[in-house]
Structure formats: structure tokens, C-alpha cells
Amino acid sequence: MEHALVIGGAGFIGSHLVEELIKRGHEVSVLDNLSLGSRENLRGLDCEILIGGVHTSAGLREAVKKSE
């Protein structure tokens, strides 16, 4: 099974991408700082939600590590 990391996955477009990836059988992790997105957009979707952003290399590195 493939694993996908969707950056900004709690936004409108990102959450639809997450939904489609799950339908296609992927495991999905979402990295979002929730400044524009919302957990509500991911309600009912089987994905891991990581709160943070890509503005620091440490945050991105941690998200990639968790999604491996």
C-alpha cells in the first residue's frame, strides 16, 4: 500500500485530494497548520492529521518521518 503525505490537506482542495487517495487505497497523512483549513474538512476520513507547517525544516522532516 502506498503512503501519501498531503501538505495543506485540511483545506477545500486538499481534503478532496485526501478523500480520493483514500478511495484509491492509499494510507494518507495530512500536514496542515489549520490557518486556512479545518479539521471539519477531514471528518470521517481515515487519515493521520499532523498539525504544523512547512515553514521549518524540522516540522517538515518530522511529518515525512511519521508518514513513512
Side-chain angles (χ1 to χ4, degrees):
M1 181 181 303
E2 295 288 323
H3 192 116
L5 172 62
V6 180
I7 298 170
F12 179 78
I13 295 171
S15 62
H16 284 83
L17 175 60
V18 169
E19 183 177 12
E20 186 62 29
L21 287 167
I22 292 169
K23 283 181 185 176
R24 293 179 182 215
H26 298 277
E27 289 183 19
V28 180
S29 295
V30 171
L31 175 65
D32 202 299
N33 64 10
L34 300 179
S35 64
L36 298 174
S38 170
R39 285 180 184 263
E40 289 296 311
N41 291 336
L42 300 170
R43 182 184 287 197
L45 298 177
D46 184 21
C47 62
E48 176 184 26
I49 303 171
L50 307 167
I51 307 301
V54 296
H55 59 281
T56 65
S57 60
L60 182 57
R61 189 173 21 252
E62 184 64 25
V64 169
K65 182 179 175 183
K66 285 186 175 185
S67 70
E68 291 180 331

